[in-house]
Amino acid sequence: MLEIKNLHVKLEEEDKQILKGVDLTVEAGKVHAIMGPNGSGKSTLSYVLSGKDGYEVTEGAASLDGEDILDMEPEERAAAGLFLAFQYPVEIPGVGNMTFLRTAVNAQRKARGEEEMSAAEFLKVVRERAKTLKIDADMLKRPVNVGFSGGEKKRNEILQMAMLEPKMCILDETDSGLDVDAMKLVSEGVNALRSEGRAFLVITHYQRLLDHIKPDVVHIMANGRIVKTGGPELALEVEQNGYADILAEAV
Amino acid sequence: MALPQAKIDATDARLAGMDLPQGGWPAECRADALARVQAMGLPGRRDEYWKYTNPETLISAEVPQAALFDPQEPAMFDGVDRLKIVFVDGVFDADRSDDLSGEHLTIDRLADVANLDLHWAKDAYGTLEAKGQSPVQRPLAALNTAFATDGVLIHVTGAVSKPVNLIYEHSAVNSDAILHHVVKLEAGASLTILENGPAAARFNKVLEAFVADGAALNHIRTQGRDHERRAVTHMFAELGAESTFKTFTLTANGVLTRNECIVWLNGDEGVAHVAGACVGDGDFHHDDTVFITHDAVNCESRQVFKKVLRNGATGVFQGKILVKPDAQKTDGYQISQSLLLDDDSQFLAKPELEIYADDVACSHGSTSGAIDEEALYYLRSRGVPQGEATDLLTLAFLGEAVDEIEDRDLGEMIVERLQGWLTRHRR
């Protein structure tokens, strides 16, 4: 589903190479995890895939279902089925959460040539999906992420994911800032979305999240590259021994 | 102090082409006002109060022309159950206006009552304008009192349910309209005034409002989308105890607009909210000048102004809160913000507080900024196209001013108009 080949990325503003040849393939129905030390390029990878400004791809390619995504605008990537759950969701004062969700859902549908969701249908679906994430009516009414706690923001990300039904979901440190209960809730939300046609790329520092969202494949990223790939046991190894051994081995 | 010769010349040039309307009790008010104009001189670029807005075309003897414009949408308050009063190029249109009467309400045309010996407006017409000449001079308002050719006198004695809608149509490219309205609300009375339309190529309007104890005046206006129109408006409001005055103005387009709002909180526990949202693209200059005087205990005033500017548009805000020595427990709030959608546009702001009482809470803030790129990326990453996402954020920015409108239906009508403007002006 997601295919990244030899991806090299530098910051637009300065001559700093961050990704130095990332190769990664995520198949439909699978959950891949990326772990790695701070500064290894994990978040950059997620930003570059979703189309954030400020990065320059100097080499390599990334495609979603065979379609090159790097030349697409962020909204086109979203409509093509890519979703990034942010590590730090932005607060948007003055834009109601509901308005935002509905605008996003219908914009994607429109872009795909599908019929827009009616107000009534949208309301029904959003209420149902919000309920399973323990998001109450008040949170839906409030401006996007404004005054939300860390946990609420992450749950709101998962709600967006549930509403937009993307096929490729990237979760950037979704566990950061979450307590045990919130992590469980968020993980359940993610697990409920797992399906044959949908793939996940879970970026995390800690194995803990992977207890809840069981990965099929674990990658270790360091210094802008994937340096090791293995099964779930790789995450346990990191948890126990840190990255030192793996990195030494990779060099 | 003698006026500079250039100012005298400019004033004389303007007055040369004007005739003081004759007859009845207003004649004396007009003569007094003309004397004020001559003593002050008309505003010029060198006047501190006109530092950011060039008044030249507002005082010129010749009217700058303004092409007519078809907005291709229904007039602003068409869906509202209201009492309509229509002016075309500043002239009352009886045929298209409703019957000027209603429960708790009398409405007269200025011209019709000039020869009545007894009329409440005799002691009102021009008095707030005259009072408003200090501490800052407003010569264009005095010019209006002297030369206004039409206007309505609205007397309210109770709660009026239907809004009074003053509709200003523009039909001649060189029309020069001067309208002067006076509104008087007796104790406990309430009224909503709606105003809409471009009015004329050049429009000078004064509205004087006397809001007695416990009365409430709501005012919502939209100024018409004719690109080349010019307007200078003054709203003077004097508030009694426990009264409220809330005004909101939407300005979209117009080559030059100067809206002054002068409020006196003269009775304890009065409330005054002055708000505005404006959107301008290109050749657009919009000036909000507000002066609120707190002269009683426990009064609240709010000024909320939001401007969206692009493509070289200019926004100006001059807002002052004056708290007199006895106006303890004053709660004053003032915010003026601009959203600059490109590097060519500018926002010039002069927020002022002058406080002589010691137990007050006053705050003011003024900012200029661009669209929040992080928020824009967030919306786009969810599939909202750039144009739509920018509009969403722009509307959110304007929202704080629009939220000042209490009536939700009217607020939504304003939002719709803003949405329409943004969509049309999308890049």
Side-chain angles (χ1 to χ4, degrees), chain A residues 52-85:
Chain A
K52 191 177 185 181
D53 279 347
Y55 301 98
E56 189 185 326
V57 175
T58 52
E59 208 182 326
S63 63
L64 186 65
D65 275 346
E67 213 178 337
D68 177 13
I69 56 169
L70 294 179
D71 283 336
M72 292 183 185
E73 296 295 335
E75 55 267 35
E76 293 169 335
R77 302 181 196 204
L82 188 85
F83 181 93
L84 169 62

Short mmCIF file of all heavy atoms in Angstrom, two decimals, chain A residues 52-85:
data_model
loop_
_atom_site.label_atom_id
_atom_site.label_comp_id
_atom_site.label_asym_id
_atom_site.label_seq_id
_atom_site.Cartn_x
_atom_site.Cartn_y
_atom_site.Cartn_z
N LYS A 52 3.74 18.38 4.54
CA LYS A 52 4.01 19.64 5.24
C LYS A 52 5.09 20.45 4.52
O LYS A 52 6.04 19.90 3.97
CB LYS A 52 4.47 19.33 6.68
CG LYS A 52 4.51 20.56 7.55
CD LYS A 52 4.90 20.23 8.98
CE LYS A 52 4.80 21.53 9.80
NZ LYS A 52 5.16 21.35 11.17
N ASP A 53 4.91 21.78 4.57
CA ASP A 53 5.90 22.69 3.97
C ASP A 53 7.21 22.66 4.75
O ASP A 53 7.24 22.30 5.92
CB ASP A 53 5.39 24.14 4.01
CG ASP A 53 4.43 24.40 2.87
OD1 ASP A 53 4.37 23.58 1.94
OD2 ASP A 53 3.73 25.43 2.92
N GLY A 54 8.27 23.08 4.09
CA GLY A 54 9.54 23.25 4.80
C GLY A 54 10.53 22.12 4.58
O GLY A 54 11.64 22.16 5.08
N TYR A 55 10.11 21.11 3.83
CA TYR A 55 11.00 19.98 3.54
C TYR A 55 11.21 19.86 2.04
O TYR A 55 10.31 20.15 1.26
CB TYR A 55 10.43 18.68 4.08
CG TYR A 55 10.19 18.69 5.56
CD1 TYR A 55 8.92 18.95 6.07
CD2 TYR A 55 11.25 18.46 6.46
CE1 TYR A 55 8.70 18.99 7.44
CE2 TYR A 55 11.03 18.50 7.83
CZ TYR A 55 9.76 18.77 8.31
OH TYR A 55 9.56 18.81 9.67
N GLU A 56 12.37 19.40 1.68
CA GLU A 56 12.65 19.22 0.27
C GLU A 56 13.11 17.78 0.03
O GLU A 56 14.05 17.31 0.67
CB GLU A 56 13.75 20.20 -0.15
CG GLU A 56 13.97 20.25 -1.65
CD GLU A 56 15.16 21.14 -2.01
OE1 GLU A 56 15.39 22.14 -1.31
OE2 GLU A 56 15.86 20.78 -2.97
N VAL A 57 12.39 17.11 -0.86
CA VAL A 57 12.78 15.75 -1.21
C VAL A 57 13.89 15.85 -2.25
O VAL A 57 13.68 16.41 -3.33
CB VAL A 57 11.58 14.96 -1.77
CG1 VAL A 57 12.03 13.58 -2.24
CG2 VAL A 57 10.48 14.84 -0.73
N THR A 58 15.05 15.36 -1.92
CA THR A 58 16.18 15.48 -2.85
C THR A 58 16.37 14.22 -3.69
O THR A 58 17.00 14.25 -4.73
CB THR A 58 17.49 15.78 -2.09
OG1 THR A 58 17.64 14.81 -1.05
CG2 THR A 58 17.44 17.18 -1.46
N GLU A 59 15.81 13.14 -3.22
CA GLU A 59 15.98 11.89 -3.94
C GLU A 59 14.93 10.91 -3.44
O GLU A 59 14.47 11.00 -2.30
CB GLU A 59 17.39 11.34 -3.64
CG GLU A 59 17.97 10.47 -4.74
CD GLU A 59 19.34 9.91 -4.35
OE1 GLU A 59 20.09 10.62 -3.63
OE2 GLU A 59 19.64 8.77 -4.72
N GLY A 60 14.57 9.95 -4.30
CA GLY A 60 13.69 8.89 -3.86
C GLY A 60 12.23 9.15 -4.17
O GLY A 60 11.88 10.15 -4.79
N ALA A 61 11.38 8.24 -3.74
CA ALA A 61 9.97 8.32 -4.08
C ALA A 61 9.11 7.75 -2.97
O ALA A 61 9.58 6.99 -2.12
CB ALA A 61 9.71 7.55 -5.38
N ALA A 62 7.84 8.15 -2.97
CA ALA A 62 6.87 7.57 -2.05
C ALA A 62 5.54 7.46 -2.78
O ALA A 62 5.13 8.41 -3.45
CB ALA A 62 6.72 8.44 -0.81
N SER A 63 4.93 6.31 -2.69
CA SER A 63 3.66 6.16 -3.39
C SER A 63 2.64 5.46 -2.50
O SER A 63 2.98 4.70 -1.59
CB SER A 63 3.86 5.36 -4.68
OG SER A 63 4.33 4.06 -4.36
N LEU A 64 1.39 5.79 -2.80
CA LEU A 64 0.28 5.18 -2.08
C LEU A 64 -0.55 4.42 -3.12
O LEU A 64 -1.03 5.05 -4.07
CB LEU A 64 -0.56 6.27 -1.40
CG LEU A 64 -1.69 5.82 -0.48
CD1 LEU A 64 -1.14 5.09 0.74
CD2 LEU A 64 -2.52 7.01 -0.04
N ASP A 65 -0.64 3.13 -2.97
CA ASP A 65 -1.33 2.30 -3.96
C ASP A 65 -0.81 2.58 -5.38
O ASP A 65 -1.59 2.74 -6.32
CB ASP A 65 -2.85 2.54 -3.92
CG ASP A 65 -3.49 1.66 -2.86
OD1 ASP A 65 -2.82 0.71 -2.37
OD2 ASP A 65 -4.65 1.92 -2.51
N GLY A 66 0.48 2.73 -5.47
CA GLY A 66 1.09 2.92 -6.77
C GLY A 66 1.08 4.34 -7.28
O GLY A 66 1.68 4.67 -8.30
N GLU A 67 0.41 5.25 -6.55
CA GLU A 67 0.30 6.63 -6.99
C GLU A 67 1.35 7.46 -6.25
O GLU A 67 1.39 7.46 -5.02
CB GLU A 67 -1.09 7.14 -6.66
CG GLU A 67 -1.62 8.12 -7.66
CD GLU A 67 -3.04 8.56 -7.28
OE1 GLU A 67 -3.73 7.81 -6.56
OE2 GLU A 67 -3.43 9.65 -7.70
N ASP A 68 2.14 8.19 -7.03
CA ASP A 68 3.18 9.04 -6.43
C ASP A 68 2.50 10.13 -5.59
O ASP A 68 1.68 10.89 -6.09
CB ASP A 68 3.99 9.68 -7.57
CG ASP A 68 5.05 10.64 -7.04
OD1 ASP A 68 5.32 10.63 -5.81
OD2 ASP A 68 5.60 11.42 -7.84
N ILE A 69 2.84 10.21 -4.32
CA ILE A 69 2.17 11.21 -3.48
C ILE A 69 3.00 12.47 -3.25
O ILE A 69 2.49 13.49 -2.82
CB ILE A 69 1.75 10.64 -2.09
CG1 ILE A 69 2.96 10.06 -1.36
CG2 ILE A 69 0.64 9.64 -2.23
CD1 ILE A 69 2.66 9.74 0.11
N LEU A 70 4.27 12.40 -3.55
CA LEU A 70 5.14 13.52 -3.17
C LEU A 70 4.84 14.81 -3.91
O LEU A 70 5.14 15.90 -3.43
CB LEU A 70 6.61 13.14 -3.33
CG LEU A 70 7.09 12.03 -2.36
CD1 LEU A 70 8.55 11.70 -2.61
CD2 LEU A 70 6.87 12.42 -0.91
N ASP A 71 4.22 14.71 -5.10
CA ASP A 71 3.87 15.92 -5.83
C ASP A 71 2.47 16.42 -5.51
O ASP A 71 2.03 17.44 -6.02
CB ASP A 71 3.97 15.68 -7.35
CG ASP A 71 5.43 15.68 -7.80
OD1 ASP A 71 6.25 16.31 -7.08
OD2 ASP A 71 5.74 15.05 -8.82
N MET A 72 1.79 15.69 -4.65
CA MET A 72 0.41 16.09 -4.35
C MET A 72 0.37 17.13 -3.24
O MET A 72 1.25 17.19 -2.38
CB MET A 72 -0.39 14.87 -3.85
CG MET A 72 -0.66 13.81 -4.86
SD MET A 72 -1.68 12.54 -4.02
CE MET A 72 -1.76 11.31 -5.30
N GLU A 73 -0.71 17.94 -3.25
CA GLU A 73 -0.96 18.86 -2.15
C GLU A 73 -1.41 18.03 -0.94
O GLU A 73 -1.91 16.92 -1.11
CB GLU A 73 -2.09 19.84 -2.53
CG GLU A 73 -1.76 20.76 -3.69
CD GLU A 73 -0.63 21.73 -3.37
OE1 GLU A 73 -0.41 22.03 -2.17
OE2 GLU A 73 0.05 22.17 -4.31
N PRO A 74 -1.27 18.58 0.26
CA PRO A 74 -1.68 17.81 1.45
C PRO A 74 -3.13 17.31 1.36
O PRO A 74 -3.44 16.18 1.73
CB PRO A 74 -1.53 18.81 2.59
CG PRO A 74 -0.55 19.82 2.12
CD PRO A 74 -0.69 19.88 0.63
N GLU A 75 -4.03 18.19 0.84
CA GLU A 75 -5.44 17.79 0.77
C GLU A 75 -5.67 16.67 -0.24
O GLU A 75 -6.58 15.85 -0.08
CB GLU A 75 -6.33 19.00 0.46
CG GLU A 75 -6.00 19.80 -0.79
CD GLU A 75 -5.06 20.98 -0.52
OE1 GLU A 75 -4.18 20.84 0.36
OE2 GLU A 75 -5.22 22.01 -1.18
N GLU A 76 -4.81 16.64 -1.27
CA GLU A 76 -4.95 15.56 -2.27
C GLU A 76 -4.48 14.23 -1.67
O GLU A 76 -5.05 13.18 -1.93
CB GLU A 76 -4.12 15.89 -3.51
CG GLU A 76 -4.66 17.09 -4.28
CD GLU A 76 -3.70 17.59 -5.37
OE1 GLU A 76 -2.48 17.37 -5.25
OE2 GLU A 76 -4.19 18.19 -6.32
N ARG A 77 -3.44 14.31 -0.88
CA ARG A 77 -2.96 13.08 -0.22
C ARG A 77 -4.03 12.55 0.72
O ARG A 77 -4.26 11.35 0.81
CB ARG A 77 -1.68 13.37 0.57
CG ARG A 77 -0.58 13.92 -0.32
CD ARG A 77 0.68 14.18 0.48
NE ARG A 77 1.57 15.05 -0.30
CZ ARG A 77 2.88 15.12 -0.16
NH1 ARG A 77 3.47 14.37 0.76
NH2 ARG A 77 3.60 15.91 -0.89
N ALA A 78 -4.69 13.51 1.43
CA ALA A 78 -5.75 13.09 2.36
C ALA A 78 -6.87 12.42 1.59
O ALA A 78 -7.36 11.35 1.99
CB ALA A 78 -6.26 14.30 3.13
N ALA A 79 -7.26 13.03 0.48
CA ALA A 79 -8.35 12.45 -0.31
C ALA A 79 -7.95 11.10 -0.90
O ALA A 79 -8.79 10.23 -1.12
CB ALA A 79 -8.76 13.43 -1.41
N ALA A 80 -6.65 10.94 -1.13
CA ALA A 80 -6.17 9.66 -1.67
C ALA A 80 -6.15 8.58 -0.59
O ALA A 80 -5.94 7.40 -0.89
CB ALA A 80 -4.78 9.83 -2.26
N GLY A 81 -6.35 9.00 0.66
CA GLY A 81 -6.47 7.99 1.72
C GLY A 81 -5.37 7.99 2.75
O GLY A 81 -5.24 7.06 3.55
N LEU A 82 -4.56 9.05 2.76
CA LEU A 82 -3.49 9.12 3.74
C LEU A 82 -3.94 9.95 4.94
O LEU A 82 -4.57 11.00 4.79
CB LEU A 82 -2.27 9.78 3.10
CG LEU A 82 -1.00 9.76 3.94
CD1 LEU A 82 -0.26 8.45 3.73
CD2 LEU A 82 -0.10 10.93 3.58
N PHE A 83 -3.61 9.49 6.12
CA PHE A 83 -3.98 10.23 7.33
C PHE A 83 -2.83 10.23 8.30
O PHE A 83 -2.23 9.19 8.57
CB PHE A 83 -5.21 9.59 7.98
CG PHE A 83 -5.68 10.30 9.22
CD1 PHE A 83 -6.66 11.28 9.15
CD2 PHE A 83 -5.14 10.00 10.48
CE1 PHE A 83 -7.08 11.96 10.28
CE2 PHE A 83 -5.57 10.67 11.61
CZ PHE A 83 -6.55 11.64 11.52
N LEU A 84 -2.53 11.42 8.83
CA LEU A 84 -1.51 11.51 9.86
C LEU A 84 -2.14 11.97 11.17
O LEU A 84 -2.73 13.04 11.23
CB LEU A 84 -0.42 12.51 9.44
CG LEU A 84 0.59 12.93 10.50
CD1 LEU A 84 1.40 11.73 11.00
CD2 LEU A 84 1.54 14.01 9.97
N ALA A 85 -2.04 11.13 12.19
CA ALA A 85 -2.46 11.54 13.52
C ALA A 85 -1.27 12.26 14.14
O ALA A 85 -0.21 11.66 14.33
CB ALA A 85 -2.88 10.34 14.35
#
